[in-house]
Amino acid sequence: MATTTTTTIKDVNEKPHFPEQVTGMYILARALKNIGIKNVYGLVGIPITEAGYEIQGQGIKFVTFRHEQQAGMAAATEGYLTRTPGVLMTVSSLGMLNGLTATANATVNCYPMIQISGSTDPTMVDMNMGTYEQLDQFNAAKPYVKAAFRCSKAEDIPAAVNRAYRAAITGRPGGVYIDMTTPALGQVMNAADAEKLFYEPVDLYSEVAPNKASVDRAVELLTSAKRPAILLGKGAAYAQTDDNIKKLIETYNIPYLPMSMAKGLMPDDGPLSALSCRSTIMEQADVVMVVGARINWMLSFGKGKWNPATKFIQLDVEPQEIDRNVPIAAPVVGDLNLSLEAILAGLEGKKMAADPSWVTSLQAETKEKNGKFETRLADAAKLMPMNHWSALSAIKPILAANPDVVLINEGANTLDDTRDTISMELPRHRVDCATWSIMGMGMGSAIGAAVATGKSVVAIEGDSAFGFSGMDFSTICRFKLPVTVVILNNGGIYNGIGKPLDNTTDPAPTTLDIHARYDKLGDAFGARTYYVTTPDELSKALTEAISSKEPCLIDVQLAADAGKESGHIGYLNPTPLIPIEV
């Protein structure tokens, strides 16, 4: 018997079904979201413009800058303040190199940061075909970062992001580079297949404990000290060891000396603060515990003014930091929190051998020097036109009344004098140009601090330093951030009275413009602006600006002869500076 086959004719109106597809740019955005990234800083263009939109589509804040270097400074600052990697995204070629300066700075300063840069197809670069913005970015970045990855296809992206995150935060933090090639960004995949690429990384940061023998050695040395001191570095501030440091210092009555970005870990004006006694600590302390600081040029390499008999206890997460410039009597290598907890446990029940007169003598020296400093500020407040001390005499009480404001600080005299004048009460509320002492981090760091913390920010800038990043004040205005920029204008690098050589009519290399009106730049972008010439005017302007929680710019007019070569590193000049005309 014949079998009858029934054929069903499909509805001619039924549309064919195709699987949903996504690009590598979407996968990148999803990977960032998956690892917990909340902010991306950058400047879009070929080949990452669409990626910027995809990142916004994932609910991540994309902060667009005028210059990649400042975007990188913002990312690095977020990394320092939050212990999670700040993310920078740039275009290829020079955009990548602009950003790399900030990423290299993050690596040197131990800030966790990830730079993601679009790049040309590496096969075309390898063949030197002369393609668009041809540059071997991957190999260019390698010497300046902690780790580097190249994504040649979309399938690589989630793993690269996760591995970069882990590399940035583990051990000694630093900058990590991801070369995001055009083929990877433009690749199209089925959404279902792309979804299989994402995973939750396990145990991203594993604390490494110090060995017991090193802890016992450190405890024995500390308890035997007659004139002990604790030196705090920005690594201690980054590690958020606040409670353990407070317990160690207050329980055992040990004087402390913070480096500039560790100010506020313990109050600068606290009874055990030795901020005003730096030289005395270096010359007289017999045991110094260095917590999260490097004994580099900022500490005279542990030599020079240091007492040759001083013994160092050094707590650091990086073994290669030990014995860098001076032998370390008691190295303690490991996570700073675990190291301090172990030392505190080892100290329980033990007595300190410290001479009671050590603390009292430092307190007497502090009182005397602070009194002289206050007199200096009071005298400077009467000067017209103002110098740096005049301006800082007005700024100091206002920031003291607003301790939760994050302070950004750069310049030459502006940096040195602000560090000496402005006391910090809270940790991680001061960001400056740090280990490399570079200029040009101001606007980027101010933006990163405001975005990452939600706090009000005051950036105290020298006029020369502001020039590196001034156009990104527009970014502060565009995103309506609570940032006040204070520019101390003395018309030059160090000062505005440099005398050119006789064979030229050009300005001296150190001379800028004493008559510049930086407040007009703020007007151009819709900020609140002030031009001030007296301490009283500055006090009123800064009070209003902080209270407004709006973008503000205060142009502070100083005398052209205010300032000198600063930094206490004149020995680095191969020949003396050209004499200035006074």
Side-chain angles (χ1 to χ4, degrees), residues 367-562:
K367 183 177 180 180
E368 179 185 359
K369 288 185 174 178
N370 286 355
K372 291 179 179 178
F373 191 79
E374 291 301 324
T375 299
R376 179 180 190 178
L377 287 180
D379 291 343
K382 303 169 188 174
L383 294 177
M384 284 298 296
M386 291 191 290
N387 63 15
H388 294 82
W389 302 111
S390 311
L392 290 166
S393 72
I395 293 171
K396 180 179 174 67
I398 296 169
L399 291 187
N402 295 274
D404 202 32
V405 165
V406 178
L407 174 63
I408 309 299
N409 186 206
E410 65 171 336
N413 295 272
T414 301
L415 173 71
D416 291 342
D417 298 346
T418 301
R419 180 187 59 232
D420 292 343
T421 304
I422 305 301
S423 296
M424 308 303 297
E425 294 183 27
L426 300 173
R428 295 169 295 281
H429 278 63
R430 177 185 167 86
V431 179
D432 60 33
C433 44
T435 302
W436 264 350
S437 197
I438 52 91
M439 298 297 108
M441 45 67 71
M443 296 305 96
S445 288
I447 293 164
V451 171
T453 69
K455 298 179 184 293
S456 293
V457 175
V458 171
I460 301 179
E461 302 272 310
D463 55 320
S464 173
F466 179 73
F468 285 86
S469 63
M471 276 303 292
D472 265 306
F473 183 72
S474 67
T475 304
I476 292 170
C477 296
R478 200 166 357 109
F479 284 85
K480 297 179 172 59
L481 299 174
V483 175
T484 297
V485 177
V486 181
I487 302 168
L488 305 187
N489 180 22
N490 65 351
I493 301 169
Y494 306 131
N495 55 49
I497 56 173
K499 181 182 178 182
L501 296 177
D502 293 338
N503 63 348
T504 180
T505 58
D506 291 338
T510 54
T511 301
L512 298 173
D513 187 357
I514 191 64
H515 302 295
R517 288 293 300 270
Y518 294 101
D519 55 310
K520 301 298 183 183
L521 178 65
D523 289 339
F525 298 118
R528 284 176 175 249
T529 60
Y530 306 84
Y531 175 74
V532 301
T533 60
T534 69
D536 286 345
E537 290 174 351
L538 174 53
S539 178
K540 183 175 183 292
L542 184 56
T543 300
E544 288 180 2
I546 293 173
S547 298
S548 75
K549 297 188 180 297
E550 296 176 2
C552 299
L553 190 150
I554 304 175
D555 185 353
V556 184
Q557 186 64 65
L558 303 185
D561 63 353

Side-chain angles (χ1 to χ4, degrees), residues 211-225 228 248 252 254 287 289 312-315 329-332 339-353:
N211 68 69
K212 186 177 183 303
S214 70
V215 172
D216 291 344
R217 188 184 304 115
V219 168
E220 181 179 358
L221 186 56
L222 187 62
T223 54
S224 67
L248 177 62
Y252 299 98
I254 305 173
V287 173
M289 176 184 281
F312 290 99
I313 302 167
Q314 186 171 9
L315 278 60
V332 181
S339 295
L340 285 166
E341 287 170 5
I343 287 172
L344 283 166
L347 285 169
E348 285 186 11
K350 291 185 170 59
K351 291 184 178 181
M352 301 290 288

Side-chain angles (χ1 to χ4, degrees), residues 59-329:
I60 298 172
K61 190 180 189 73
F62 196 105
V63 184
T64 310
F65 281 69
R66 296 299 189 98
H67 196 280
E68 293 91 351
Q69 184 188 83
Q70 292 310 303
M73 295 298 180
T77 299
E78 175 169 324
Y80 168 70
L81 293 175
T82 67
R83 294 192 73 189
T84 58
V87 177
L88 163 67
M89 180 169 284
T90 82
V91 299
S92 52
S93 186
L94 292 181
M96 174 267 179
L97 291 176
N98 287 341
L100 186 61
T101 57
T103 309
N105 187 57
T107 302
V108 167
N109 281 294
C110 312
Y111 306 149
M113 174 183 166
I114 300 171
Q115 176 176 343
I116 302 172
S117 293
S119 67
T120 298
D121 184 341
T123 59
M124 301 178 79
V125 175
D126 291 345
M127 286 301 295
N128 194 20
M129 295 174 65
T131 186
Y132 175 74
E133 294 192 344
Q134 177 175 306
L135 177 68
D136 188 353
Q137 298 175 194
F138 178 65
N139 285 306
K142 274 185 173 182
Y144 303 105
V145 296
K146 186 178 177 186
F149 305 91
R150 175 184 280 162
C151 294
S152 296
K153 55 185 186 296
E155 290 88 342
D156 297 334
I157 295 173
V161 169
N162 288 351
R163 292 179 66 191
Y165 191 108
R166 189 185 298 274
I169 64 172
T170 53
R172 171 170 283 180
V176 178
Y177 177 70
I178 302 179
D179 201 53
M180 198 61 61
T181 66
T182 301
L185 289 169
Q187 183 179 334
V188 177
M189 292 184 65
N190 290 340
D193 293 332
E195 198 64 33
K196 298 174 185 176
L197 300 173
F198 302 108
Y199 64 95
E200 296 290 337
V202 177
D203 201 12
L204 277 169
Y205 181 80
S206 297
E207 297 92 345
V208 177
N211 68 69
K212 186 177 183 303
S214 70
V215 172
D216 291 344
R217 188 184 304 115
V219 168
E220 181 179 358
L221 186 56
L222 187 62
T223 54
S224 67
K226 298 296 184 183
R227 297 178 301 281
I230 293 178
L231 195 152
L232 302 170
K234 69 177 180 294
Y238 168 82
Q240 300 184 15
T241 61
D242 313 0
D243 291 343
N244 287 327
I245 286 171
K246 178 180 173 67
K247 183 177 179 181
L248 177 62
I249 287 170
E250 293 184 346
T251 302
Y252 299 98
N253 208 40
I254 305 173
Y256 57 89
L257 176 64
M259 302 297 285
S260 64
M261 284 178 59
K263 283 163 65 71
L265 262 174
M266 293 290 291
D268 286 354
D269 299 327
L272 291 168
S273 173
L275 258 177
S276 301
C277 309
R278 178 185 173 101
S279 294
T280 302
I281 294 292
M282 295 171 75
E283 293 166 0
Q284 297 185 22
D286 58 349
V287 173
V288 175
M289 176 184 281
V290 181
V291 184
R294 286 172 285 194
I295 306 176
N296 57 16
W297 70 274
M298 290 183 173
L299 292 170
S300 302
F301 309 103
K303 301 167 185 174
K305 287 185 177 181
W306 285 95
N307 179 353
T310 298
K311 295 182 179 179
F312 290 99
I313 302 167
Q314 186 171 9
L315 278 60
D316 204 288
V317 73
E318 172 54 60
Q320 294 186 70
E321 197 57 48
I322 307 302
D323 297 335
R324 179 191 283 250
N325 289 306
V326 65
I328 302 301

